[in-house]
Amino acid sequence: MKVEVQCDQPVKKIQNFWNHIHFHPTDAIEDDWGQEVLDCIAKDGAADMVRIYTMFEDMVTMDADGQLQYDFSLNDQRIDYMVSKGFRLFISYNFIPACIAAEPELMNNACQKKTRYKGKFIITSPPKDYKLWEEICHQYTKHIVERYGLDRVKTWRLQCLNEPDHKNFWMQSVAVDEEGTQIRLREYCKLYKGFVEGIEKVSKELKVGGPSNAGKEGFFTGFLDYITANNLKIDFISIHTYGVMPRFLNDGSLTFDVKRHLTAARDYYNHMKEYNMENKELIMDEWGACTNGDCTIERCPKLVIRENEAFSAYYAKLLTYFAYGDVPISKLMICLCGQHGQETYFCGGRSFFTKGFFKKPIYNFYVLAAKLGTTLVEMKKEDVNENVSVMATDKGVLAAYVSDDLERNLQDKEMEFVLRNCPGDMVRIWCIDKNHINPYTKYREMGMPEELTPEQIKVLKEEGELRPIEQKKVEGVFKETIRLQDGCVYFIEFL
């Protein structure tokens, strides 16, 4: 296999759509462990835009006279911190506060069990009066604009509710069938209208969107019907895609599938084109190789990929597909639901860091990906098979070696890189694979102890620190043959 790159021949401009995250739970932002995570992400430049929730249940109550009351103190603490770290925000306006809910007792069952933090619940009921919802959206937006300035907030994204087509977040008591989808859609459209009108009273320069669709196609097209018919403002479309569900991995009916994200995004984008919305920003505000952030290796052994090198290669391949593909994704925001409650060191949670704060390979790939350029350059490939993805940019060349379904154990392959007209006189080679930047491999070599000694903790922390494998001088042309292992990622950075 051979890849030849003309480093000084631009082909296509792209934006960095890959260094963005959904931080969960939002209310960990004020906690020491949440700040430890975010401090590291900010320091390493692993993320630009971060999705969080408003968590209206923390701030909105109603007095005896029926007047809405606001306490923005927790919200301000969270957003002050995020702004201080240089993050741009994607704010999802939810959840419905009890004081305006038509049926406040309708709470998300799953969240009552485990998935919500600090014993909080999600009320899935619609408002008893949508004007109250509109007023909350207005007052909240007015507050953040006054506190953080219009120039800053108009660079953020404001989104209405999380997964309203999914019963866990919207109208849980309604059946999960075609009729139920239409009922949820009807009520969500009212919610979106109030959301937009409340925000527009503050400024029409703010970027609003939805529906953060979890997968119900009839819901998505029905939403586009509604906003088109009512001429409602929408600046971006938000969608969710996940590669597979744990139960399908367990019963063998499905495998992981990198291309599943691309297929789903293309379907959404084709619908957008039907409504003449192809120029709207398309944001995947949640994605993951698998659903269920709280599902662990104990319940689904194949989730070990969340701990090892394979997930890095999975994401490298995914962003390469989007970079060269026909779906103009603006942002891919990995969902970090599953960060809290990790009971073992490598549990398979949907997180960047393990218990003990060891950096996972997927985290280090995000740090590495931040070094990619935003101009694709000319590249020729010879004898490169479907298991290898290569992305050639003006800042360096990324290569990953993994099957789309992650199920095959690929044999080692040699790949020759020929990089012509390199912009600098040095290159730096980075590698994430089974034997490089991989605390999980080290942990296995230790015998996977339930408790770690201080020395073992030190070794695992050091192993999680991203570092290059070598640096070489270049005189116009750089040639290197690299041995690719299953699940590896290489990046040749121009200096």
Side-chain angles (χ1 to χ4, degrees):
M1 295 190 291
K2 181 179 179 180
V3 170
E4 188 168 343
V5 177
Q6 296 289 347
C7 304
D8 62 344
Q9 296 297 314
V11 172
K12 177 184 176 184
K13 291 291 293 183
I14 56 175
Q15 61 178 315
N16 182 336
F17 57 82
W18 47 87
N19 280 112
H20 312 282
I21 65 173
H22 169 43
F23 184 81
H24 183 89
T26 294
D27 40 345
I29 294 172
E30 66 261 25
D31 296 339
D32 289 344
W33 75 264
Q35 292 190 7
E36 185 178 14
V37 169
L38 289 163
D39 284 350
C40 194
I41 291 170
K43 176 178 175 290
D44 291 341
D48 169 28
M49 181 166 279
V50 181
R51 181 177 185 244
I52 62 173
Y53 297 143
T54 55
M55 300 191 69
F56 285 140
E57 71 269 45
D58 283 349
M59 70 181 78
V60 184
T61 55
M62 185 178 286
D63 67 17
D65 297 324
Q67 298 299 307
L68 293 173
Q69 303 291 307
Y70 301 90
D71 179 355
F72 295 115
S73 55
L74 274 175
N75 173 82
D76 295 349
Q77 183 179 344
R78 294 165 188 155
I79 296 187
D80 286 356
Y81 172 82
M82 299 298 282
V83 168
S84 76
K85 294 298 173 182
F87 295 122
R88 291 188 302 140
L89 297 182
F90 182 115
I91 304 179
S92 181
Y93 279 45
N94 53 269
F95 300 98
I96 304 297
C99 64
I100 72 163
E103 298 177 272
E105 70 281 1
L106 291 181
M107 296 181 181
N108 177 299
N109 287 341
C111 291
Q112 289 183 38
K113 293 175 184 175
K114 184 172 181 179
T115 58
R116 288 218 72 192
Y117 189 48
K118 298 182 179 179
K120 295 178 182 176
F121 306 110
I122 296 174
I123 293 174
T124 69
S125 164
K128 57 189 175 185
D129 181 345
Y130 281 91
K131 281 297 180 183
L132 293 173
W133 165 256
E134 179 182 327
E135 180 63 13
I136 289 172
C137 294
H138 170 67
Q139 292 298 333
Y140 178 77
T141 308
K142 179 173 177 286
H143 173 76
I144 61 173
V145 167
E146 288 175 350
R147 188 173 182 88
Y148 304 104
L150 179 61
D151 286 346
R152 185 192 302 275
V153 179
K154 70 184 182 183
T155 69
W156 298 353
R157 303 294 184 273
L158 311 178
Q159 176 241 331
C160 182
L161 209 67
N162 179 65
E163 297 188 348
D165 59 329
H166 196 304
K167 73 169 188 172
N168 277 352
F169 297 98
W170 188 237
M171 303 182 72
Q172 187 185 47
S173 61
V174 174
V176 184
D177 55 18
E178 186 174 341
E179 182 181 0
T181 294
Q182 292 305 308
I183 293 170
R184 286 189 182 88
L185 170 64
R186 182 185 66 223
E187 297 303 316
Y188 176 71
C189 287
K190 297 176 188 176
L191 201 75
Y192 185 80
K193 182 174 185 291
F195 161 80
V196 169
E197 291 179 351
I199 290 173
E200 284 192 311
K201 291 176 186 175
V202 180
S203 172
K204 293 187 178 182
E205 294 185 72
L206 299 173
K207 291 183 172 61
V208 299
S212 202
N213 210 78
K216 291 288 186 182
E217 184 174 298
F219 191 99
F220 184 73
T221 52
F223 172 69
L224 298 186
D225 277 333
Y226 181 82
I227 60 173
T228 300
N230 291 274
N231 196 29
L232 287 174
K233 177 179 170 67
I234 188 162
D235 298 296
F236 65 88
I237 303 289
S238 58
I239 59 173
H240 294 177
T241 74
Y242 287 93
V244 69
M245 298 180 74
R247 70 172 183 268
F248 299 136
L249 291 174
N250 283 337
D251 67 21
S253 59
L254 289 175
T255 64
F256 294 104
D257 187 350
V258 179
K259 285 185 178 176
R260 198 166 286 140
H261 305 277
L262 188 67
T263 300
R266 183 178 291 115
D267 288 344
Y268 281 119
Y269 184 58
N270 285 338
H271 285 309
M272 289 168 62
K273 289 194 288 187
E274 291 169 7
Y275 290 84
N276 298 314
M277 293 186 185
E278 61 268 32
N279 294 322
K280 299 290 184 184
E281 186 179 15
L282 178 56
I283 299 176
M284 195 178 290
D285 62 318
E286 282 188 32
W287 78 272
C290 188
T291 61
N292 296 58
D294 64 324
C295 189
T296 64
I297 291 171
E298 184 177 7
R299 292 162 53 197
C300 181
K302 291 183 179 180
L303 293 184
V304 69
I305 77 142
R306 291 175 176 167
E307 306 294 347
N308 67 24
E309 69 282 355
F311 199 5
S312 300
Y314 181 108
Y315 189 39
K317 200 165 191 179
L318 177 63
L319 71 86
T320 302
Y321 281 145
F322 276 115
Y324 289 99
D326 57 354
V327 182
I329 287 286
S330 168
K331 293 169 185 64
L332 292 174
M333 311 184 85
I334 190 171
C335 181
L336 299 181
C337 171
Q339 296 184 106
H340 65 289
Q342 299 187 78
E343 297 175 357
T344 56
Y345 285 106
F346 295 87
C347 66
R350 211 160 56 185
S351 58
F352 273 165
F353 304 92
T354 69
K355 173 188 173 182
F357 209 73
F358 311 134
K359 296 176 180 178
K360 297 185 181 184
I362 183 62
Y363 173 74
N364 277 310
F365 177 68
Y366 267 72
V367 179
L368 202 57
K371 299 177 181 293
L372 283 166
T374 53
T375 299
L376 299 180
V377 297
E378 187 175 306
M379 172 177 61
K380 294 180 181 179
K381 295 183 286 187
E382 296 179 11
D383 300 321
V384 175
N385 65 39
E386 71 278 4
N387 298 317
V388 178
S389 64
V390 185
M391 181 175 171
T393 79
D394 56 330
K395 300 294 184 183
V397 178
L398 173 70
Y401 182 49
V402 70
S403 64
D404 281 340
D405 61 13
L406 308 189
E407 292 291 302
R408 285 171 280 176
N409 293 316
L410 303 177
Q411 299 298 310
D412 290 3
K413 295 284 187 181
E414 287 192 346
M415 173 173 280
E416 181 185 6
F417 290 86
V418 180
L419 312 182
R420 302 187 185 280
N421 302 317
C422 296
D425 60 359
M426 300 287 291
V427 298
R428 185 178 289 151
I429 301 176
W430 306 81
C431 174
I432 298 172
D433 66 10
K434 183 177 181 179
N435 301 308
H436 296 88
I437 325 296
N438 201 324
Y440 183 68
T441 294
K442 291 288 185 185
Y443 180 66
R444 287 177 61 86
E445 291 171 356
M446 292 172 181
M448 305 176 71
E450 290 185 14
E451 297 297 330
L452 296 170
T453 67
E455 181 58 33
Q456 287 172 327
I457 289 172
K458 180 182 178 183
V459 168
L460 293 174
K461 282 187 178 290
E462 289 176 352
E463 179 62 21
E465 292 301 317
L466 186 63
R467 57 201 178 276
I469 57 174
E470 59 181 325
Q471 188 165 305
K472 293 188 174 183
K473 190 169 181 61
V474 176
E475 294 181 1
V477 178
F478 172 74
K479 293 185 179 181
E480 184 83 1
T481 297
I482 292 175
R483 191 165 189 82
L484 304 177
Q485 292 185 337
D486 189 15
C488 75
V489 172
Y490 276 88
F491 181 59
I492 303 172
E493 178 188 11
F494 304 141
L495 300 178

